[in-house]
Amino acid sequence: MNYKDLMADLKKGRIEPVYLIYGPEHLLATMMKDHIKKTLVEPAYEQFNYTYVDGRDLEVSEIVNYCETLPFMEEKKLVVIAGYSELSGKGASDPQIAQLTDYIQSPNPTTCLVFLSDTVDKKKKLTKQLIKCGQVVVCDKLDPRDLAKWIQKTVKLAGKTMAPRALEIFIESIGYLGKDSKMDLYDVENEVEKLIAFCGVQVNIDESMVERITAKNVENNIFEMLDHLGRGSVDAGLTILNRLLTDGESPPKILQMMVRQLRILYQCKWLRAQGHSAGSIAKEAGLRSFQVNKALNQGKRFDYERLACGYQACREAEVKMKSSR
């Protein structure tokens, strides 16, 4: 199940005895843990009925003991084990792991046990048992629609509103949805907080505010640089390149992004010439719709020969740069 399925269950009061919550979105996983806690544990008895433990050096017997202890003045208690090494496959396996897998097969009905992990090794006995007997919640990166809702909700909680076009520009600028992006929701949250702080007492966030505060990522800068080159504005393109270098971006990374963008332009331009729609191109190239539309517009300024020559030149420079290290 995903986080939305879990939220739906919690609203209906359905709480499983064992959960495995994992995935690259740490903030989302933490939020799911907090929602389970809010549903299950009364604040007045939190010190008795809520246990959060770093699982990196935890022994099996300790986990089972936490789970077997009865709750105080409530029907259930919550035990959260974070970063348990047995799940990720790091380090040697605990010889007593069978004790924990047996518990998961027949858990204490008065305890809700939650494992939080960045990654899991599905070959491990514990992981297999959790998948078989527990409820697995995968916290992957948000899709465009859910990301927009999440940002709007965060903005609303701050007492502000955000125009649809401003939201669209903001999402494109931060780069979270990029195919190779390593950005997570903590990074997005930080960008949203900066935007909110910048707006001050202003309630409505419009396009101009977003454009003034959002720091452009490398991908957007590369796109803008190629856009200038396509228009014949070489000086403007070089200005962006110098800005990237001054800001500390590494030349290999800049070159890598240029190669990627030129490849995208060529691929989108060629697929369009074959009669593909923007939606079909997005699916074929593994891109977002807005990326395809931007690439198609930019591709009009380049013919196939210029794109191929630029791509080849960047690839050769990339090889020389790697071989000279």
Side-chain angles (χ1 to χ4, degrees):
M1 67 164 45
N2 59 31
Y3 78 97
K4 289 185 283 188
D5 298 323
L6 175 58
M7 290 296 294
D9 277 357
L10 294 178
K11 285 181 180 179
K12 295 174 183 177
R14 289 205 295 258
I15 299 176
E16 301 296 332
V18 180
Y19 289 96
L20 167 60
I21 303 177
Y22 79 96
E25 280 299 355
H26 314 293
L27 179 57
L28 195 57
T30 300
M31 289 169 64
M32 293 305 100
K33 178 265 294 180
D34 290 341
H35 278 296
I36 294 174
K37 178 184 174 185
K38 185 178 180 180
T39 304
L40 196 63
V41 181
E42 283 290 337
Y45 303 114
E46 181 177 326
Q47 61 177 320
F48 305 106
N49 296 328
Y50 174 61
T51 303
Y52 181 95
V53 186
D54 185 334
R56 284 176 292 182
D57 299 313
L58 204 60
E59 294 184 2
V60 166
S61 58
E62 294 178 273
I63 299 175
V64 175
N65 286 338
Y66 285 132
C67 295
E68 294 290 3
T69 304
L70 294 174
F72 177 75
M73 299 293 289
E74 288 194 279
E75 292 183 4
K76 290 189 177 185
K77 60 179 290 187
L78 175 61
V79 176
V80 178
I81 310 298
Y84 189 40
S85 57
E86 188 67 32
L87 285 170
S88 62
K90 298 176 182 176
S93 294
D94 191 324
Q96 304 299 318
I97 198 65
Q99 185 183 0
L100 184 54
T101 55
D102 287 345
Y103 172 84
I104 292 169
Q105 187 172 0
S106 182
N108 180 359
T110 64
T111 296
C112 175
L113 172 61
V114 176
F115 287 96
L116 294 179
S117 184
D118 296 340
T119 59
V120 296
D121 183 347
K122 294 185 178 180
K123 296 179 182 178
K124 288 283 189 176
K125 288 183 179 180
L126 177 58
T127 307
K128 290 180 179 179
Q129 188 74 323
L130 285 167
I131 293 172
K132 179 182 177 182
C133 302
Q135 189 64 264
V136 179
V137 183
V138 183
C139 294
D140 283 325
K141 294 191 73 168
L142 299 186
D143 61 28
R145 185 176 180 180
D146 286 342
L147 177 63
K149 287 182 178 179
W150 188 85
I151 293 172
Q152 285 282 32
K153 184 177 180 180
T154 305
V155 169
K156 186 177 180 180
L157 288 173
K160 300 186 183 298
T161 61
M162 197 171 189
R165 179 55 184 158
L167 177 61
E168 183 181 346
I169 294 172
F170 180 76
I171 289 175
E172 288 186 23
S173 299
I174 60 177
Y176 175 89
L177 296 174
K179 188 176 180 180
D180 302 317
S181 174
K182 290 181 172 56
M183 194 177 200
D184 61 19
L185 283 178
Y186 279 115
D187 299 315
V188 177
E189 185 179 52
N190 184 52
E191 293 298 324
V192 173
E193 288 175 353
K194 286 196 295 185
L195 177 61
I196 290 170
F198 175 78
C199 293
V201 297
Q202 183 72 31
V203 175
N204 300 314
I205 302 174
D206 59 22
E207 298 173 38
S208 63
M209 291 178 180
V210 173
E211 289 172 344
R212 285 160 60 192
I213 189 60
T214 304
K216 293 183 177 178
N217 58 29
V218 180
E219 185 176 354
N220 285 338
N221 275 295
I222 295 298
F223 184 92
E224 188 177 347
M225 181 173 68
L226 290 176
D227 212 37
H228 283 302
L229 294 178
R231 298 173 188 272
S233 305
V234 178
D235 288 343
L238 290 175
T239 298
I240 294 174
L241 177 59
N242 286 330
R243 185 174 68 213
L244 285 169
L245 294 170
T246 302
D247 289 343
E249 293 295 347
S250 68
K253 182 178 180 180
I254 294 173
L255 200 54
Q256 182 185 31
M257 293 303 297
M258 288 181 67
V259 168
R260 178 178 180 273
Q261 185 62 25
L262 287 167
R263 184 177 67 248
I264 288 173
L265 291 180
Y266 192 99
Q267 186 178 18
C268 290
K269 188 179 182 71
W270 185 83
L271 287 171
R272 172 65 95 184
Q274 305 307 306
H276 288 262
S277 65
S280 175
I281 294 172
K283 186 175 181 180
E284 181 75 21
L287 300 170
R288 305 290 182 184
S289 295
F290 74 86
Q291 291 175 306
V292 171
N293 290 328
K294 287 172 66 175
L296 288 173
N297 287 329
Q298 189 175 70
K300 294 175 183 177
R301 302 188 182 97
F302 297 90
D303 57 33
Y304 289 111
E305 185 177 356
R306 286 184 69 194
L307 288 174
C309 288
Y311 177 82
Q312 187 60 34
C314 287
R315 287 291 293 165
E316 290 175 0
E318 192 176 27
V319 171
K320 289 180 181 178
M321 192 174 291
K322 288 179 179 178
S323 62
S324 64
R325 290 179 185 176

